[in-house]
Amino acid sequence: MKDTPLSNCERDFLLKAIEEKKRLDGRQTYDYRKMKITFGTDYGCCFVDLGKTRVMAQVSGELVAPKENRPNEGIMFFNIELSPMASPAFEQGRQSELSVKLNRQLERCLRNSKCIDTESLCVVSGEKVWQIRVDVHMLNHDGNLMDAASIAAITALCHFKRPDVGIQGDEVTVYSPEERDPIPLSIYHMPISVSFSFFQQGTYLLVDPCEREERVMDGLLMIAMNKHREICSIQSSGGIMLLKEQVMRCSKIASVKVSEITELISKALENDKRARKAGGRCGFAESMPQERITALKTDETSVEMTDASERANDIVENAEVPPQTVPSPVVPAPGVGQVGQGLQNTWGLEEEEEDGDEEEEEQKMEEEQDEKEDSREGDVVEISDSEEEEVVILHPETQDKSSKNAASSSNQKGGKTSKQREKK
């Protein structure tokens, strides 16, 4: 799987920030990321965290036959594995150009610099020598893998202890750690790699580039140096032409960084040695939080029981007699009541108020109905009481006209009805 390329906007943003001497994580130009060194349970296991870049180095040893051209020297073997767990750009089971490059640089940094006494690894000349294998695993990739790998490898070699060996005639006996104390390796110096990235044809320089800065850089310079300011190896990549002054400037910066990292490694080794000697938590157990179950454990507390009964009797005698009847509750707000055993129902007050309101409303409704009936009586007039003739209802426009018309109509009808009765 190929790595996702950067967009033009991201590339321009990174280059513009570098021109203004600003970095994504807020560091200065020559600042390293936060470094943390921890050790595993066994000797020779080391974890290095350089920012978000995480590397594990494991050192192991076995007895093998020496090389023909060097029968009195031990063998140093380095292996770097780029796991897909570290980055999706790494492929499993296939050695990429980056892994070959890192492996060669690590061999130049540690084996070719003669930092380890290989002659002390010889057991029987020409027959048995120790082969020290250093496996470096990339756990997370966030840039500057070479620096993290070199720090993890040299720290693991300093932390490693090989088993003691006894020779009786032709027999070689390897003692376990319980029988004899293991023996550490003899290390002359600690070479550490420091990486420098160049931008815009060497105009700008950064120390410890992160993964995104490595994508936009024009060239990379790796200098391996020890605290005695001895350059163990130097390699330039990227096809950029560097001046003499630039290389000298990088070497001065590397000497300062190497001394700081060497001091940090020494402190980490001393702390681990002190913790193992005192029987404290070390290795993987140190990273686990210590939690104990204390649910079934109780601490006894002392309680004074002298004159407890007398004090209780005095309290009971001096206490006030509780009231037999429960006082009525106080209504905190209108519309709120309380109903319970032995308490008065306060909702009655509100019901009475509601009844009074209902009576007033009923009275108003009755008065309105009476007024309507009166008005209807003024508007409606019955013409005749006889069953034969129809009843005529008049609806005048105004009350005055209606009263006058009603009177005249009643007089006329009254005259007609009297005439009709006479005829009959």
Side-chain angles (χ1 to χ4, degrees):
M1 178 180 177
K2 294 184 179 180
D3 199 1
T4 306
L6 285 177
S7 62
N8 294 332
C9 294
E10 290 178 303
R11 186 179 298 273
D12 295 340
F13 176 78
L14 289 171
L15 294 175
K16 186 67 175 178
I18 292 170
E19 290 178 4
E20 297 178 358
K21 297 183 179 181
K22 296 179 182 178
R23 305 181 73 171
L24 297 178
D25 48 7
R27 290 182 291 157
Q28 298 297 325
T29 305
Y30 302 145
D31 288 349
Y32 251 83
R33 287 173 288 181
K34 185 178 180 182
M35 187 182 302
K36 181 181 178 183
I37 300 175
T38 55
F39 299 96
T41 306
D42 299 332
Y43 286 105
C45 182
C46 176
F47 295 88
V48 173
D49 295 337
L50 186 60
K52 293 183 179 179
T53 301
R54 185 174 175 83
V55 178
M56 184 194 75
Q58 177 66 56
V59 181
S60 59
E62 61 176 347
L63 289 175
V64 296
K67 295 181 180 180
E68 294 180 358
N69 55 351
R70 293 182 179 179
N72 297 327
E73 293 183 4
I75 301 173
M76 294 289 298
F77 181 75
F78 296 92
N79 179 37
I80 293 181
E81 291 187 4
L82 303 180
S83 172
M85 179 179 62
S87 174
F90 301 153
E91 296 181 4
Q92 189 175 9
R94 183 178 179 182
Q95 205 169 18
S96 61
E97 296 180 0
L98 180 60
S99 63
V100 175
K101 174 184 173 183
L102 294 175
N103 207 344
R104 289 177 179 175
Q105 180 66 15
L106 191 63
E107 288 180 355
R108 293 194 192 100
C109 179
L110 297 179
R111 185 172 62 186
N112 298 347
S113 62
K114 303 294 183 180
C115 65
I116 298 176
D117 184 11
T118 54
E119 293 183 358
S120 64
L121 301 176
C122 179
V123 179
V124 178
S125 176
E127 294 182 4
K128 296 288 184 182
V129 294
W130 283 103
Q131 180 184 1
I132 304 301
R133 179 187 176 95
V134 182
D135 293 308
V136 180
H137 301 270
M138 302 298 173
L139 303 180
N140 191 28
H141 173 41
D142 191 33
N144 201 6
L145 293 177
M146 187 58 218
D147 291 8
S150 65
I151 295 170
I154 191 63
T155 308
L157 288 171
C158 294
H159 189 254
F160 176 71
K161 294 183 179 181
R162 64 174 179 84
D164 194 6
V165 179
I167 302 173
Q168 295 179 356
D170 295 336
E171 295 182 358
V172 177
T173 305
V174 180
Y175 296 99
S176 62
E178 289 78 11
E179 295 174 348
R180 289 188 182 180
D181 293 335
I183 300 173
L185 301 177
S186 57
I187 298 176
Y188 296 135
H189 57 90
M190 290 189 294
I192 296 171
S193 175
V194 180
S195 299
F196 302 90
S197 58
F198 294 91
F199 301 87
Q200 296 185 4
Q201 300 300 320
T203 307
Y204 301 99
L205 169 67
L206 293 181
V207 179
D208 184 21
C210 64
E211 190 262 342
R212 290 186 178 273
E213 292 171 348
E214 286 182 349
R215 292 191 184 185
V216 299
M217 68 182 180
D218 296 333
L220 184 67
L221 178 66
M222 291 183 288
I223 301 176
M225 185 183 293
N226 56 19
K227 66 179 181 179
H228 306 293
R229 295 186 178 182
E230 298 173 350
I231 295 178
C232 302
S233 69
I234 184 169
Q235 181 179 356
S236 176
S237 60
I240 186 173
M241 300 297 294
L242 297 177
L243 300 175
K244 175 184 174 182
E245 291 78 9
Q246 291 176 328
V247 178
M248 294 300 296
R249 180 185 178 187
C250 292
S251 64
K252 291 180 181 179
I253 298 171
S255 63
V256 177
K257 299 299 179 184
V258 165
S259 60
E260 294 176 358
I261 296 172
T262 304
E263 186 178 358
L264 178 63
I265 294 173
S266 302
K267 288 183 179 179
L269 291 170
E270 290 177 2
N271 294 335
D272 182 76
K273 183 179 179 180
R274 193 182 304 110
R276 291 177 186 271
K277 187 176 181 180
R281 302 168 68 230
C282 59
F284 180 74
E286 186 180 1
S287 61
M288 296 296 292
Q290 187 177 5
E291 297 178 355
R292 296 180 179 178
I293 299 174
T294 58
L296 303 179
K297 184 179 179 180
T298 57
D299 297 332
E300 296 181 357
T301 56
S302 58
V303 180
E304 295 183 0
M305 300 298 293
T306 57
D307 302 334
S309 58
E310 297 179 358
R311 292 181 181 178
N313 293 329
D314 295 338
I315 293 172
V316 172
E317 291 177 357
N318 297 329
E320 297 179 358
V321 180
Q324 298 296 331
T325 58
V326 181
S328 60
V330 179
V331 180
V336 179
Q338 183 176 357
V339 179
Q341 186 177 2
L343 300 176
Q344 295 180 357
N345 187 358
T346 59
W347 295 97
L349 302 175
E350 189 174 355
E351 290 176 357
E352 291 178 359
E353 294 178 357
E354 291 179 356
D355 294 342
D357 296 339
E358 291 178 357
E359 291 178 358
E360 292 178 359
E361 291 179 358
E362 290 178 357
Q363 291 179 0
K364 291 180 180 179
M365 292 291 292
E366 291 177 357
E367 290 178 357
E368 291 177 357
Q369 289 178 359
D370 294 340
E371 291 177 357
K372 290 180 180 180
E373 289 177 357
D374 295 339
S375 62
R376 286 178 182 177
E377 288 178 358
D379 296 340
V380 181
V381 179
E382 293 183 0
I383 303 302
S384 174
D385 296 330
S386 63
E387 296 177 357
E388 296 178 358
E389 296 182 1
E390 297 180 355
V391 179
V392 180
I393 300 174
L394 303 177
H395 298 280
E397 295 179 357
T398 58
Q399 293 182 357
D400 297 336
K401 291 181 180 181
S402 63
S403 59
K404 292 178 181 179
N405 293 333
S408 61
S409 62
S410 61
N411 293 330
Q412 292 176 359
K413 291 292 181 181
K416 289 182 180 180
T417 51
S418 61
K419 291 179 181 179
Q420 290 175 359
R421 289 177 182 174
E422 289 178 356
K423 286 181 181 180
K424 289 180 181 180

